[in-house]
């Protein structure tokens, strides 16, 4: 997998942010990724940022559950399950600079993060990682369930929204290919007419019309998308996935990193201008500076 060099000569790890709908096999995929990297003598540094997961089939190096009890958060703040998860993540985010300092010492590792990207804290964490390391989004899809055109389109729309929200290199991972091949999905993405034929087999005129419209909108999204088919159970397709990640890292260095640095600089300049205006208003209220300089209370000699 490609990595970059710091001025100090240390290699920067690649961050793989794994996300996907419930039941897509994210945890099993991470277990396979973890095992494969150990086999390749490239042991990963694993971060688990899901406070609600009951069991993990691997041992994360940093686990949000070690510091945040999401059930206690639910009780303390009178929240439901979703509110408890997001609040737990928000609390963990306040200490994420400490996490980064620990991760920074593991310069030879590859990291995997499972995170709730739709939350404000998720966006903060993702940006913090992307600022420091080459970062790739791996969107995991349940291939058997995606054989339904409606479910397929739901996944594509969600993946598209995440791509444009994070503005990071993206790999679409069709999981569970040991159950059913993802070739049908590739054909739907490459040939609009084949997707139309699949839709016509459904007896829902309104839904078919909506799905057709969405498919046309996503045509540009498909054209720039990296796709990999894997089986987290058998390990089939993992080498291809690593190749896709390597390509995404090069794209990060060439395209995404300059854009990210530009956006951060613009944000910092905007903050400076805001503080400058606030200071100017404060000085004006105090009668200091400008035409009011010299006015005010006379000090005794």
């Amino acid at each position: 997998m490609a990595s970059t060099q710091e001025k100090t000569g240390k290699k920067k790890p690649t961050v793989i942010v794994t996300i996907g709908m419930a039941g897509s096999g994210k945890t099993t995929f991470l277990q396979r990724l973890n095992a494969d990297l150990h086999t390749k003598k490239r042991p990963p540094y694993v971060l688990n940022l899901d406070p609600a997961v009951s069991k993990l089939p691997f041992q994360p190096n940093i686990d949000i559950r070690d510091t945040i009890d999401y059930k206690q958060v639910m009780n303390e703040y009178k929240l439901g399950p979703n509110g408890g998860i997001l609040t737990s993540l928000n609390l963990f985010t306040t200490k994420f600079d400490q996490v980064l300092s620990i991760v920074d010492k593991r310069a030879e590792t590859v990291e995997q993060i499972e995170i709730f990207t739709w939350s404000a804290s998720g966006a903060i964490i993702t940006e913090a990682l992307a600022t420091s390391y080459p970062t790739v989004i791996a969107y995991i899809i349940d291939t058997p369930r995606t054989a339904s055109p409606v479910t397929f389109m739901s996944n594509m729309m969600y993946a598209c929204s995440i791509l444009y929200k994070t503005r990071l290199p993206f790999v679409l991972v069709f999981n569970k290919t040991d159950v059913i091949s993802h070739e049908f999905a590739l054909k739907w993405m490459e040939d609009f007419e084949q997707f139309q034929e699949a839709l016509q087999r459904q007896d829902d005129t309104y839904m078919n019309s909506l799905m057709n419209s969405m498919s046309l909108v996503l045509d540009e999204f498909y054209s720039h998308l990296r796709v990999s088919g894997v089986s987290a159970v058998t390990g089939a397709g993992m080498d291809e996935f690593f190749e896709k990640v390597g390509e995404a890292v090069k794209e990060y260095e060439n395209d995404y990193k300059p854009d990210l640095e530009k956006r951060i600089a613009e944000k910092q300049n905007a903050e400076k201008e805001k503080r400058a205006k606030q200071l100017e208003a404060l000085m004006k209220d105090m009668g200091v500076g400008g035409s009011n300089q010299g006015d005010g209370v006379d000090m005794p000699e």
Side-chain angles (χ1 to χ4, degrees):
M1 190 179 298
S3 58
T4 55
Q5 298 285 334
E6 294 183 76
K7 291 181 180 180
T8 59
K10 291 183 179 180
K11 291 182 178 180
K12 287 188 177 182
T14 296
V15 176
I16 303 175
V17 182
T18 61
I19 54 181
M21 292 185 178
S24 59
K26 297 184 297 295
T27 301
T28 310
F29 174 77
L30 283 175
Q31 181 185 19
R32 172 58 61 181
L33 189 59
N34 187 37
D36 275 26
L37 288 170
H38 275 285
T39 301
K40 296 176 184 294
K41 308 299 183 184
R42 300 188 59 182
Y45 199 72
V46 185
L47 282 71
N48 171 53
L49 300 183
D50 183 352
V53 65
S54 56
K55 292 182 180 180
L56 287 174
F58 51 86
Q59 181 61 46
N61 299 86
I62 296 178
D63 195 333
I64 187 175
R65 299 173 301 169
D66 292 337
T67 55
I68 305 290
D69 185 335
Y70 109 97
K71 289 186 177 179
Q72 183 178 338
V73 170
M74 285 173 59
N75 293 330
E76 183 176 346
Y77 294 96
K78 310 299 181 186
L79 300 168
N82 288 339
I85 290 171
L86 293 180
T87 301
S88 297
L89 194 55
N90 290 340
L91 293 170
F92 191 76
T93 302
T94 63
K95 300 181 180 180
F96 200 72
D97 58 329
Q98 298 175 32
V99 175
L100 285 177
S101 66
I102 295 172
V103 170
D104 197 46
K105 298 174 183 178
R106 312 291 179 172
E108 297 298 326
T109 67
V110 180
E111 295 154 61
Q112 311 145 65
I113 294 107
E114 187 163 2
I115 191 173
F116 297 90
T117 55
W118 57 83
S119 66
S121 51
I124 292 170
I125 290 174
T126 303
E127 184 173 299
L129 289 166
T131 303
S132 304
Y133 311 103
T135 303
V136 179
I137 305 293
Y139 182 77
I140 316 301
I141 292 177
D142 184 338
T143 306
R145 291 181 62 189
T146 308
S148 162
V150 174
T151 307
F152 171 82
M153 188 54 60
S154 297
N155 268 289
M156 294 302 105
M157 292 298 292
Y158 187 37
C160 183
S161 67
I162 291 171
L163 172 64
Y164 286 104
K165 181 178 181 180
T166 60
R167 301 187 190 182
L168 288 170
F170 204 89
V171 180
L172 203 62
V173 183
F174 283 94
N175 192 17
K176 307 182 185 180
T177 54
D178 55 306
V179 179
I180 181 174
S181 171
H182 67 300
E183 290 299 321
F184 72 91
L186 295 177
K187 291 177 181 177
W188 287 355
M189 296 167 69
E190 295 168 359
D191 190 337
F192 175 71
E193 291 183 358
Q194 291 205 31
F195 182 70
Q196 278 187 316
E197 291 174 4
L199 277 175
Q200 288 171 2
R201 290 193 287 269
Q202 295 191 153
D203 189 19
D204 190 333
T205 305
Y206 173 76
M207 184 62 72
N208 291 353
S209 177
L210 179 61
M211 293 298 104
N212 271 325
S213 300
M214 288 182 174
S215 184
L216 288 171
V217 170
L218 290 174
D219 187 56
E220 182 68 17
F221 171 64
Y222 294 153
S223 65
H224 299 288
L225 197 60
R226 292 183 181 84
V227 181
S228 177
V230 307
S231 169
V233 174
T234 67
M238 290 302 296
D239 286 341
E240 180 190 13
F241 169 75
F242 286 126
E243 289 176 6
K244 299 293 183 181
V245 170
E247 294 172 4
V249 169
K250 291 179 181 178
E251 185 180 358
Y252 167 89
E253 293 294 342
N254 295 332
D255 301 325
Y256 284 83
K257 187 178 179 180
D259 178 64
L260 180 62
E261 291 174 344
K262 179 182 178 182
R263 284 187 280 123
I264 291 174
E266 290 174 349
K267 186 176 180 180
Q268 290 174 342
N269 290 334
E271 287 294 327
K272 286 181 181 179
E273 291 179 5
K274 182 179 178 181
R275 287 196 296 269
K277 289 180 180 179
Q278 289 175 339
L279 179 60
E280 183 181 351
L282 177 63
M283 299 294 282
K284 185 176 182 180
D285 290 342
M286 294 175 63
V288 180
S291 60
N292 292 328
Q293 189 170 5
D295 294 342
V297 179
D298 293 330
M299 300 297 291
E301 295 182 0

